[in-house]
Amino acid sequence: MKNRLKELRQLHQWSQSDLARELGVSRQAVNGFESGKFDPSLDMAFKIANLFQVAIEDVFIYEAKHSMQTLVERVKNFFGFEFGFERFTEKAINALNFARNEATRSQNSQVEPEHLLAGLLADSTTTSARLLRANGVTLDIETNEHSFESRENLEFSPQSKFVLELALQIVRLQGKKSIGTEHLLWGVVRLAETDKATLSELFQRYEIDAVALNNQLTETV
């Protein structure tokens, strides 16, 4: 994976050893990241982005430059992913269907992270809903017999596509076979770390204890 790590490091006048100490890794690891010899884990990629106080996409350049667009191209529909052995669980599909329906109900032209979050809360039996309610969320999401039906075909906003991409990547890294609601929630929390302006108000509205949620989510995922 191509990246701007060396450029950012030099802007801070850090040696590879300096950066290695900040990240808690070896100098050889930093050299490997910079040269593209091997890719950092997602957790390390976010740690690097947070260290330089930039968005993750400002550090790492995926081989498919417009990764959000390529994600959409690869996804035929939510019932037939072409990611090999990786599949969304039924509850994750329901959450995405709810998000699309909610975006339509609120007269949005795209599915935004706030609609995803509502979808992750809508079914109280999901792992995502249990985690959110255990960490401050008290808001009830109204549902009916049609709430989880696939009725709308709205596109996802760039931020929401980023969440889907992150959910896919964490499942691939862990070698798991399915993408659950907890992976989608993990993507939302990671997005909140890199796009605080977009999600800080949303997290406050839901009264989410972001730190506690992140700790529990890390253990779950």
Side-chain angles (χ1 to χ4, degrees):
M1 184 187 299
K2 295 180 180 179
N3 62 76
R4 297 178 55 236
L5 187 54
K6 182 177 180 179
E7 174 188 344
L8 291 168
R9 173 175 61 77
Q10 291 178 338
L11 283 174
H12 284 71
Q13 298 183 333
W14 287 345
S15 66
Q16 287 187 341
S17 296
D18 293 332
L19 180 56
R21 280 193 297 272
E22 293 290 335
L23 297 175
V25 299
S26 67
R27 187 193 63 77
Q28 289 79 6
V30 170
N31 181 267
F33 297 156
E34 289 188 357
S35 65
K37 185 176 180 180
F38 53 87
D39 297 336
S41 67
L42 278 179
D43 283 342
M44 179 56 65
F46 278 103
K47 187 173 183 179
I48 291 170
N50 287 334
L51 176 63
F52 289 115
Q53 298 184 330
V54 296
I56 192 169
E57 59 267 30
D58 291 331
V59 184
F60 298 98
I61 306 166
Y62 295 97
E63 291 183 9
K65 186 174 181 180
H66 302 291
S67 58
M68 304 311 167
Q69 296 175 4
T70 58
L71 174 66
V72 177
E73 292 171 2
R74 285 182 292 168
V75 178
K76 300 295 185 181
N77 56 64
F78 286 121
F79 296 95
F81 280 90
E82 303 228 329
F83 296 138
F85 59 84
E86 293 159 345
R87 295 289 187 273
F88 280 154
T89 63
E90 181 179 357
K91 289 185 181 293
I93 292 170
N94 286 343
L96 295 174
N97 284 339
F98 185 94
R100 274 180 155 166
N101 296 335
E102 181 65 13
T104 299
R105 188 193 65 78
S106 57
Q107 298 184 330
N108 284 79
S109 60
Q110 292 183 317
V111 180
E112 300 291 347
E114 62 185 276
H115 305 127
L116 290 179
L117 195 56
L120 294 173
L121 265 171
D123 181 352
S124 61
T125 67
T126 62
T127 302
S128 60
R130 289 197 296 268
L131 284 168
L132 286 165
R133 296 195 182 285
N135 290 283
V137 177
T138 58
L139 180 67
D140 289 326
I141 303 295
E142 294 185 8
T143 62
N144 55 48
E145 65 272 22
H146 304 296
S147 293
F148 303 106
E149 293 178 358
S150 178
R151 292 179 289 137
E152 305 297 339
N153 195 34
L154 289 184
E155 291 187 358
F156 288 82
S157 70
Q159 291 88 351
S160 294
K161 292 173 186 175
F162 187 49
V163 171
L164 297 181
E165 179 72 11
L166 290 175
L168 168 63
Q169 289 189 22
I170 190 63
V171 165
R172 280 181 163 166
L173 283 171
Q174 295 178 339
K176 294 184 178 179
K177 293 185 178 181
S178 58
I179 302 172
T181 59
E182 65 273 22
H183 302 113
L184 292 172
L185 180 57
W186 190 88
V188 171
V189 172
R190 298 284 78 77
L191 174 65
E193 290 179 350
T194 61
D195 195 355
K196 293 181 175 63
T198 299
L199 290 181
S200 60
E201 182 180 345
L202 181 62
F203 274 36
Q204 289 176 6
R205 188 194 318 164
Y206 278 90
E207 299 182 325
I208 297 173
D209 185 338
V211 174
L213 173 62
N214 185 53
N215 291 337
Q216 288 190 24
L217 190 58
T218 300
E219 295 177 0
T220 302
V221 172

